[in-house]
Each structure stands twice: as C-alpha cells, then as structure tokens.
Amino acid sequence: MSKNKYIIIALDGAAGSGKSTTAKAVCQKFKYIHVDTGLHYRSLCLYFLNKNISADKVCDYLSCNSISMNSVIDDFSVYLSLDGHHFSSEQLRNQEMNKNVSYYARLPELRNLLLNYQRDLCAYGQKSGFSGIIMDGRDIGSVVLPDADLKFFLHADLSIRQQRRSSDGETDSISGRDKLDSTRKTAPLVCPADAISINTGLHTIDHVVDLFSQHILSLG
Ligand code: DC
C-alpha cells in the first residue's frame, strides 16, 4: 500500500451485526478514525424529542430553523455535536431511542441534512492526522461514500444479533427496526454489489478483524 494513501472504508449492516466492535478494533490497529453514523441519527432524534417535535413535524421545523453541526474527536472516534452540545452514549443508547430512531432516520430531509456533513468527515479525519476512516451505518457504501476504497457488509442471524444487544444490556426490537430500515424509500439498508460480505455469526471478532486487515493490506 502506498505509505501516504488515506484509506476510506464504508461499513454497513443491520443492528447488532458487529459494525462498531469491528470498526473500533480496526481503527485502533491502523490509526483510522471511526464514525458511527447511527449515533448521528440517534442525536438528531433526541434533539427533536427534547423539543417535542414528532417525526412528521421535522420537515416544517427545518424549513424555518437551522441546526449547527460540529465534530468532537475522542480517541479514535468522532462524534456529532448539535448546537454546541453532544449527547452521552447513555442518552443515545436506550430503549426509548431504539424505539423512536428509525422513524426519524427514514425522513429524506434529515438524511439530506447529514449527507454533506458525513462526506466532509473524510477530509476532517485526514486533516486531524488519521491514516484512514471507517464510517459505519446502513447507506454508507450505497449513498454516502459510493467511491470508498473498500466496502464491507456485516450480517448475522437475527437470534445472534438480538443476543448481542441483550448482553450489551440494551432492550431493542431488532426485527422491527430491521424492517423499517430496509424498507424505507430513501437510502434503505442494502448490501452494495461491490461490498465484501461477512457473516459475523460464523467468526470470532479477532477473525473478522483479520479479514478486514487482509483486505486493507491488499489495497496497494
Ligand atoms: O446503528 P444504530 O442502531 O445505532 O442506528 C440507529 C438507527 O439509525 C437505525 O435504526 C437506522 C438508522 N441509520 C440509518 O438509517 N442510516 C445510517 N447510515 C445509520 C443508521
């Protein structure tokens, strides 16, 4: 691999497929920055819930208000702040958020609001001294970063994904969210045709990280 090439990796998959765990381990290994775009949707969802704005009122709100979006780096991850405030993981990962987030994430206006911000994070990671970026979500390889150097798609049986969420202490109706995320009109969850697909239910995390590493090292 050319020593100075900044590597852009798109990582998609359903809830509980292992995206964050894998991305964090690979980012530490290669000094890449990790972007969890699920947290972007969770942050906006909580932002609107706090203002008592239901999903069907978001479009009206955005037509006469703007939201300032900034980035905060913590270790190997970058987080979104809204109007100068970034929510904690406890505020974003709980039953209430799991129940609501897909109804906000399916709004084209919200997705548009995030699209350029998410694309700009590639340059932001490079300027901040990282050697590459892994952005994870549902539409990263298909919509946000269609020209990524590598695309991965992680999947696992529903029972395994549900079990992972329970052992993380989260109450999450994964099958309901899967349905909303993969059947919406704008940027649904899909496996891009050029993605490397991995069933994480068949491998240990170390093996999945090895598979990623082999593909990264084979780039150049
Ligand atoms: O990955 P997660 O469970 O934290 O994602 C939260 C929700 O955000 C999920 O229901 C789908 C949505 N999402 C999305 O629509 N597009 C993305 N790129 C990332 C997440």
Side-chain angles (χ1 to χ4, degrees), residues 12-16 19-20 36-39 41-42 93 98 101-102 105-106 111 118 136-140 144 165 172 177 181 184 187:
D12 290 299
K19 299 185 299 295
S20 284
D36 176 342
T37 62
L39 291 180
Y41 290 98
R42 287 173 184 266
R93 297 203 161 279
N98 291 339
V101 63
S102 293
R106 70 180 176 182
R111 307 197 72 83
Q118 291 172 339
D136 80 52
R138 306 294 191 284
D139 61 338
I140 309 304
V144 182
R165 280 291 148 107
D172 193 356
R177 283 209 297 134
D181 295 338
R184 67 175 174 234

Side-chain angles (χ1 to χ4, degrees), residues 8-154:
I8 296 179
I9 299 179
L11 170 56
D12 290 299
S17 56
K19 299 185 299 295
S20 284
T21 311
T22 307
K24 280 183 197 307
V26 176
C27 283
Q28 292 236 2
K29 183 169 173 179
F30 288 94
K31 311 248 174 304
Y32 291 174
I33 194 163
H34 174 219
V35 183
D36 176 342
T37 62
L39 291 180
H40 297 169
Y41 290 98
R42 287 173 184 266
S43 299
L44 280 164
C45 173
L46 185 52
Y47 178 92
F48 287 116
L49 288 176
N50 284 347
K51 290 183 182 296
N52 271 321
I53 296 170
S54 55
D56 59 330
K57 298 283 187 302
V58 165
C59 189
D60 287 348
Y61 180 86
L62 291 176
S63 63
C64 35
N65 296 277
S66 63
I67 305 174
S68 111
M69 298 195 290
N70 286 293
S71 304
V72 183
I73 293 182
D74 182 13
D75 206 8
F76 286 92
S77 298
V78 57
Y79 299 100
L80 169 67
S81 85
L82 299 171
D83 292 344
H85 175 78
H86 104 266
F87 298 112
S88 68
S89 169
E90 292 71 31
Q91 288 174 302
L92 296 177
R93 297 203 161 279
N94 55 52
Q95 190 174 359
E96 180 69 4
M97 297 302 301
N98 291 339
K99 196 177 79 187
N100 284 290
V101 63
S102 293
Y103 294 99
Y104 288 83
R106 70 180 176 182
L107 301 172
E109 297 77 14
L110 260 196
R111 307 197 72 83
N112 272 335
L113 186 70
L114 284 173
L115 187 59
N116 286 331
Y117 168 75
Q118 291 172 339
R119 286 182 174 159
D120 288 347
L121 285 174
C122 293
Y124 179 80
Q126 189 166 20
K127 259 192 273 158
S128 307
F130 291 90
S131 310
I133 184 167
I134 302 184
M135 190 175 296
D136 80 52
R138 306 294 191 284
D139 61 338
I140 309 304
S142 55
V143 175
V144 182
L145 303 174
D147 299 324
D149 296 300
L150 281 172
K151 295 181 188 178
F152 291 95
F153 185 83
L154 301 187

